[in-house]
């Protein structure tokens, strides 16, 4: 097979389109000593003669690519030791010649780089051939780099190859490139900072070129030697921080009133040119400097140093926080022009990007050494994430990615619980586009059913929704970028769920919300503009619930009911769920809690409801419940009175009310039923007194509608205080009163028709006459009913 392949290659020209693919796929030169020698020498001699020829043609450049592939696959070094010396001379001669076209150099550069880097495996060849010419190679590459940058419109592909070659050869032989630093370093900074030169008065460097030039700048410190390279690295990063600080001061000096800098940056290099005086002309130049110096700092932090280096961590963190502390709310000077202010606001996303890149890079590079700065960093970044407008999609995604990285490196257990709590609330608010579309569809369907007062209110709500739809405020579809925000928020959520000392109500609401979205996402597929976003959100929700199953249950039963409910709806073929369903050991013997105590079968608590309303979920429904509280069967129980004053000091759900207020005792304890009528408690003390302050509990006077002998006298005088035979605690008295109220259906009569009365429905659904409750909304409904009766 090898003999036939060599014969086929001998019959093809080097510039043939199939020559190099055949060589790369079959690799016949892995062991040249095992090949037929006559055919092998015939092919190699033809390749060598083509390379040594002085004609610059496509055949010779194709021969360079073939020779590079042969040298890289030769495991014996046979080809390189036999022909490498002549090939090095050919490549070096072409690169050093001023008349050589720059566009034809990539093939010679790749062959020269391959021979130099492979020569370290063969010390004799390296000592005899490569090392003597490394000085000439470095000088030739420096001159070629200057030739590339002289053109006002350089070939960026050639510059890219040349920067890669310079970095590889400099790391291979650092000492040979030491004389090149005085000319190479300024040229690299001109590319990174986009500083104008006489040949390029209006430079515009591609981002990939700036990154490669920054990597080469970060490699220059190795030319100082093994012992001096750490100090050289420290000098380089301080120079970059000094230039960064100078550029930031140039932006903020005539614009923002920024907060004091925590750590003053080093002095900038004197070799930097002066910035323009005009603020509008200075702003774009300073922005280029900020991005350029940050690229150099990031490259230095990425560089794998052989020895420890001095990292100015406080100054790097201060530079990053200086960027993220500039927001839309930062005060500006009074004499700023509107054009300048608009330009500053437009450049804020670029400044924020630089800030989070600096903080993220120093976190990756320094690890636990950043621990003293965690609180200050999260204080700025979380504050910025909460205040970024919803229209800045890229900035929101970037901040979510940053916090995902940051909390992966530093778990939420070692940061103050305030920041994970705020981040979780932020992530939950990013899910509102899914809930808004769902709630609008539910409102439109529920508005068509029901009559009476509640039906009229729903009809008015549907009318408002119709008007909002005509005005363009209806539910909108979720695009690809909005879907990315939701996905990144979901990716950050599992890191926050595992925070110790987390609020149980917030954690429970978060898991309920994610489980609800996972179950209802199939019905919301129509609101996505792309099916890929819907599938990605569903997969990420699945991951969130899987990781919630692996959480350690909190104390006090705050997490009971999670695992059984989540496992029942997830795919059991998951690698995470399978060990939970089929553990290696049998489960521990422990009693199962009653069904009423499982968390997802319990009604939403007051603290969880407050957390939900604070984040903006379901505010309209809660406002409706404030006007009309409903019991479990949907009957009207309590009407909010305008003149009632409820005390905030409650004992087991019992409230202190004034003389003209009525409270349902059974509903206050959360156990109201349709067959239990309320009991009106009338108390002789003032509204500020509570049950806890009474030395002896009170027994309310209870009367039936049929018995008028025990009714209070005219004028609504309070019932006398009857002490108990044996003193008991207020809590026990309340419990006995509640149990007694469940077995009686008696009310207290009051004088006059002007008093506010709670109207109920009996078991036969016969409505009793309703009196005025003081609410304008109900007055409207009563007027409408009176008109209907007159007709």
């Amino acid at each position: 097979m090898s003999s036939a392949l060599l014969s086929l290659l001998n019959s093809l020209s080097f510039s043939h389109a199939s020559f190099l693919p055949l060589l790369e796929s079959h690799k016949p030169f892995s062991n040249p000593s095992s090949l037929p020698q006559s055919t092998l020498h015939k092919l190699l001699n033809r390749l060598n003669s083509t390379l040594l020829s002085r004609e610059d043609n496509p055949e010779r450049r194709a021969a360079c690519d073939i020779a590079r592939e042969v040298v890289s696959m030769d495991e014996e070094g046979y080809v390189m030791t036999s022909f490498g010396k002549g090939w090095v001379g050919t490549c070096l001669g072409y690169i050093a010649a001023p008349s050589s076209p720059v566009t034809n150099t990539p093939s010679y550069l790749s062959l020269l780089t391959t021979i130099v880097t492979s020569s370290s495996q063969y010390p004799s060849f390296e000592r005899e051939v490569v090392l003597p010419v490394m000085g000439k190679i470095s000088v030739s590459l420096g001159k070629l780099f200057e030739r590339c940058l002289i053109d006002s419109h350089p070939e960026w592909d050639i510059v890219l190859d040349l920067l890669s070659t310079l970095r590889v050869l400099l790391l291979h032989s650092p000492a040979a490139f030491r004389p090149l630093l005085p000319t190479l370093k300024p040229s690299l900074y001109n590319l990174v900072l986009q500083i104008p030169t006489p040949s390029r008065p209006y430079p515009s460097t591609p981002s990939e070129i700036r990154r490669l030039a920054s990597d080469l700048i970060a490699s220059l410190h190795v030319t100082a030697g093994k012992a001096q390279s750490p100090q050289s690295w420290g000098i380089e990063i301080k120079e970059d921080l000094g230039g960064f600080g100078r550029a930031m001061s140039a932006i903020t000096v005539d614009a923002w009133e920024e907060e004091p800098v925590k750590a003053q940056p080093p002095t900038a290099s004197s070799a930097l040119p002066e910035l323009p005086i005009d603020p509008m002309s200075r702003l774009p130049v300073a922005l280029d400097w900020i991005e350029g110096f940050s690229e150099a700092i990031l490259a230095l932090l990425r560089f794998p140093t052989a020895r420890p280096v001095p990292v100015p961590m406080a100054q790097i963190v201060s530079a990053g926080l200086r960027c993220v502390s500039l927001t839309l709310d930062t005060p500006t000077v009074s004499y700023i022009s509107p054009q300048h202010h608009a330009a500053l606001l437009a450049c804020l996303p670029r400044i924020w990007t630089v800030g989070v890149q600096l903080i993220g890079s120093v976190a990756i590079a320094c690890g636990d050494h950043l621990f003293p700065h965690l609180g200050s960093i999260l204080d700025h970044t979380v504050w910025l994430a909460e205040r970024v407008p919803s229209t800045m999609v890229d900035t929101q995604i970037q901040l979510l990615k940053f916090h995902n990285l940051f909390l992966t490196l530093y778990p939420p257990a070692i940061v103050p619980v305030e920041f994970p709590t705020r981040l979780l609330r932020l992530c939950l608010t990013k899910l509102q586009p899914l809930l808004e579309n769902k709630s609008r569809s539910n409102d439109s369907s529920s508005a068509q059913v029901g009559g009476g007062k509640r039906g009229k209110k729903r009809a008015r709500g549907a009318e408002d929704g119709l008007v909002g739809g005509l005005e363009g405020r209806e539910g909108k579809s979720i695009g690809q970028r909005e879907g990315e925000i939701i996905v990144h928020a979901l990716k950050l959520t599992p890191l926050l769920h595992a925070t110790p000392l987390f609020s149980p109500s917030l954690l429970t609401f978060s898991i309920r919300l994610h489980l609800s979205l996972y179950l209802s996402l199939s019905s919301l597929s129509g609101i996505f503009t792309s099916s890929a976003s819907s599938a990605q959100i569903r997969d990420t929700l699945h991951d969130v619930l899987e990781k919630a199953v692996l959480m350690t249950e909190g104390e006090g039963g705050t997490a009971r009911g999670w695992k059984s409910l989540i496992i029942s709806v997830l795919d059991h073929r998951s690698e995470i769920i399978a060990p939970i369903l089929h553990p290696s050991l049998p489960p521990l013997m422990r009693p199962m809690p009653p069904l009423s105590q499982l968390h997802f079968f319990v009604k939403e608590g007051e603290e969880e409801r407050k957390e939900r309303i604070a984040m903006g979920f379901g505010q309209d429904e809660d406002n409706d419940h404030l006007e009309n509280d409903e019991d479990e069967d949907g009957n009207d129980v309590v009407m909010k009175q305008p003149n009632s004053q409820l005390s905030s000091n409650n004992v087991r759900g019992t409230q202190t009310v004034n003389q003209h207020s009525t409270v349902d005792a059974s509903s206050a304890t959360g156990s109201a039923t349709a067959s239990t009528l309320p009991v009106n408690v009338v108390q002789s003390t003032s509204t500020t007194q509570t049950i806890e302050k009474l030395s002896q509990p009170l027994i309310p006077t209870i009367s039936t509608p049929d018995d008028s002998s025990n009714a209070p006298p005219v004028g609504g005088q309070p019932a006398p205080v009857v002490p108990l035979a044996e003193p008991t605690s207020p809590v026990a008295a309340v419990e006995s009163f509640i149990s007694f109220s469940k077995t009686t259906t008696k009310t207290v009569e009051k004088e006059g028709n002007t008093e506010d009365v709670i109207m109920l429905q009996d078991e036969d659904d016969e409505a009793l006459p309703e009196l005025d409750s003081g609410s304008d909304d109900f007055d409207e409904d009563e007027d409408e009913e009176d008109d209907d009766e007159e007709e």
Side-chain angles (χ1 to χ4, degrees), residues 22 63 176 219 249 252 344 396 412 493 523 543 602 680 704 718:
L22 285 173
S219 306
S249 300
T252 60
L344 288 173
Q396 293 184 69
T493 301
S523 62
D543 296 339
V602 177
N680 297 332
T704 61

Side-chain angles (χ1 to χ4, degrees), residues 391-425:
T391 54
M392 294 184 174
V393 178
D394 294 332
T395 303
Q396 293 184 69
I397 294 175
Q398 191 176 58
L399 288 171
L400 290 173
K401 287 181 177 179
F402 167 77
H403 287 105
N404 195 343
L405 168 68
F406 203 77
L407 293 179
T408 302
L409 297 174
Y410 309 100
I414 64 175
V415 301
V417 72
E418 170 197 359
F419 302 116
T421 302
R422 292 165 60 186
L423 284 174
L424 182 58
R425 288 172 178 164

Side-chain angles (χ1 to χ4, degrees), residues 112-125:
L112 181 63
T113 305
T114 304
I115 293 176
V116 171
T117 54
S118 302
S119 63
S120 57
Q121 302 177 8
Y122 312 99
S124 59
F125 179 81

Side-chain angles (χ1 to χ4, degrees), residues 115-177:
I115 293 176
V116 171
T117 54
S118 302
S119 63
S120 57
Q121 302 177 8
Y122 312 99
S124 59
F125 179 81
E126 183 182 23
R127 184 175 59 255
E128 296 175 2
V129 178
V130 176
L131 293 180
V133 297
M134 280 305 300
K136 186 178 292 187
I137 290 175
S138 64
V139 174
S140 301
L141 291 176
K143 292 181 178 180
L144 180 62
F145 186 63
E146 293 177 1
R147 288 171 54 196
C148 292
L149 298 182
I150 288 176
D151 191 2
S152 58
H153 299 285
E155 296 289 340
W156 293 119
D157 295 336
I158 309 300
V159 176
L160 192 65
D161 293 337
L162 186 54
L163 289 173
S164 302
T165 302
L166 279 168
R167 187 170 186 270
V168 171
L169 295 181
L170 184 142
L171 294 176
H172 182 270
S173 301
F177 287 84

Side-chain angles (χ1 to χ4, degrees), residues 368-401:
D368 294 341
H369 296 282
L370 195 67
F371 183 76
H373 305 277
L374 294 184
S376 179
I377 291 172
L378 288 175
D379 191 14
H380 284 76
T381 56
V382 174
W383 187 84
L384 177 62
E386 292 172 342
R387 283 159 180 79
V388 169
S390 58
T391 54
M392 294 184 174
V393 178
D394 294 332
T395 303
Q396 293 184 69
I397 294 175
Q398 191 176 58
L399 288 171
L400 290 173
K401 287 181 177 179

Side-chain angles (χ1 to χ4, degrees), residues 5 30 55 57 95 142 152 215 223 235 244 279 319 331 341 438 444 449 482 485 526 622-623 629 642 679 780:
L5 181 61
S30 298
E55 297 180 1
N57 50 26
I95 293 171
S152 58
D215 291 337
T223 59
I235 294 173
F244 184 90
H341 192 196
K438 182 179 178 182
S444 61
V449 296
E482 289 78 6
I485 295 178
D622 288 287
N623 292 334
D629 294 338
V679 179
E780 270 187 8

Side-chain angles (χ1 to χ4, degrees), residues 46-67:
R46 186 162 70 96
L47 180 63
N48 186 45
S49 61
T50 305
L51 284 173
L52 296 180
S53 63
R54 296 182 178 275
E55 297 180 1
D56 185 19
N57 50 26
E59 187 76 10
R60 189 184 184 190
R61 293 192 292 273
C64 288
D65 296 334
I66 293 170

